[in-house]
Amino acid sequence: MSDAAQAPAGPPGQPQKAPPGGTPPKAAPGGARITAVTSGKGGVGKTFVTANLAAALARRGERVLVLDADLGLANLDVVLNLYSRVTLHDVFTGRTPLEDAILPAPGGFSVLLAGSGLIEYSRMTPEVRDKLLEVITKVRPRYDHVLLDTGAGISDVVLFTISLADEVLIVATPEPTSLADAYATVKVLAATQAARPMRLLVNQTERMGEGRTVRAQLQQVVDRFVNAGLPRPVKLDHIGDVPQDKAVRETVQRRLLLLESLPGCAAAQALVAAANKLLD
């Protein structure tokens, strides 16, 4: 293993992934489907959801890359228990080739990690814009699916990252503050960017059907205050609920991937079902 990272190899039988410093296998013509995973509000489990969706997609035979697009406050490395000396910052500054920053992750997918605490990525400069676009352009032909784990909120960095995607997955919880921020995200995206599919995953639900209720509430507000006058009204596609599950807290605290450590638990099964809907 390269000294650039200490990452566990994926389990036997998983799709081929990039070795440290290696080039991933070529995807089919047309390149990857790019999904921006965002939330509006922080603390809703967005990175946890992204990592486990990637593992579920990899189990379906997809060649998957997760790009940590929270450029200043990255934590994908913490969720996956990866320790890398190479990040997107090194790629952006030209110190490291892109291929050397692509690392294998538990679950059979690949990752591009971002540095944390770098103030230069707190706003979207022309240089950061160009570098991020260059990275996306280079990785897209190599994978079947790329997940962009965006930062929270609606900063210019987050909005530009989302603009690079084919679809948006909004992660929310039933809490009123999360719903308010999810609505704000939909409103800003509808007003500033080209129309694209918007999907909704409701995390930390407490009862059966709660996610459908959340989706209905959000859609009602969107219809009333956002869709009026739009040539293509926003319709939120609810792809599933992830229930409150003590297994989630246990694996997060131990920095383990839920689908690897407790694949039979309710939350893991819900994430597998959501990943299947992403492929529809």
Side-chain angles (χ1 to χ4, degrees):
M1 179 178 292
S2 164
D3 62 2
Q6 297 174 4
Q14 293 294 338
Q16 182 184 358
K17 54 189 179 298
T23 301
K26 294 293 183 180
R33 179 177 177 180
I34 300 179
T35 303
V37 186
T38 193
S39 62
K41 183 182 184 296
V44 299
K46 173 178 54 60
T47 299
F48 160 81
V49 165
T50 303
N52 283 281
L53 285 177
L57 290 170
R59 291 185 176 192
R60 287 286 304 269
E62 294 281 292
R63 287 164 289 197
V64 183
L65 173 71
V66 177
L67 190 154
D68 193 342
D70 193 352
L71 301 179
L73 296 170
N75 59 13
L76 180 65
D77 56 336
V78 176
V79 170
L80 294 172
N81 199 29
L82 296 177
Y83 301 92
S84 175
R85 300 175 186 174
V86 179
T87 69
L88 271 173
H89 175 69
D90 300 297
V91 176
F92 285 177
T93 57
R95 289 201 291 264
T96 302
L98 174 61
E99 289 73 17
D100 291 346
I102 297 173
L103 307 175
F109 58 95
S110 299
V111 294
L112 268 171
L113 301 175
S116 185
L118 301 173
I119 195 169
E120 58 264 45
Y121 299 124
S122 62
R123 62 188 181 90
M124 180 56 66
T125 64
E127 181 179 9
V128 172
R129 181 189 301 264
D130 291 345
K131 292 295 185 181
L132 186 56
L133 180 59
E134 180 182 358
V135 167
I136 295 296
T137 301
K138 286 182 177 179
V139 300
R140 185 165 199 162
R142 307 178 186 184
Y143 295 92
D144 300 309
H145 215 127
V146 173
L147 301 179
L148 305 178
D149 183 23
T150 78
I154 49 176
S155 69
D156 53 356
V157 177
V158 172
L159 293 177
F160 178 72
T161 302
I162 293 174
S163 75
L164 302 175
D166 302 309
E167 62 183 359
V168 183
L169 173 60
I170 298 171
V171 179
T173 71
E175 294 180 1
T177 52
S178 175
L179 299 185
D181 287 348
Y183 164 70
T185 299
V186 172
K187 181 178 179 180
V188 171
L189 291 176
T192 62
Q193 298 192 10
R196 79 200 71 187
M198 287 195 193
R199 299 170 181 256
L200 176 69
L201 185 145
V202 184
N203 194 23
Q204 301 173 15
T205 57
E206 294 183 353
R207 59 184 182 274
M208 186 77 70
E210 188 171 22
R212 289 193 296 273
T213 301
V214 167
R215 185 266 175 193
Q217 292 172 340
L218 271 177
Q219 187 66 60
Q220 184 177 32
V221 179
V222 168
D223 287 340
R224 183 175 179 183
F225 296 108
V226 175
N227 281 340
L230 288 181
R232 293 181 59 188
V234 174
K235 295 297 180 185
L236 297 172
D237 177 18
H238 175 226
I239 68 167
D241 303 354
V242 181
Q244 289 273 17
D245 191 331
K246 63 180 182 180
V248 172
R249 181 177 178 83
E250 176 184 339
T251 55
V252 168
Q253 289 182 334
R254 296 171 61 194
R255 298 185 180 184
L256 298 173
L257 197 64
L258 184 66
L259 261 69
E260 289 287 285
S261 56
L262 295 169
C265 72
Q269 292 299 306
L271 287 160
V272 169
N276 291 339
K277 289 189 176 181
L278 273 183
L279 292 176
D280 290 346

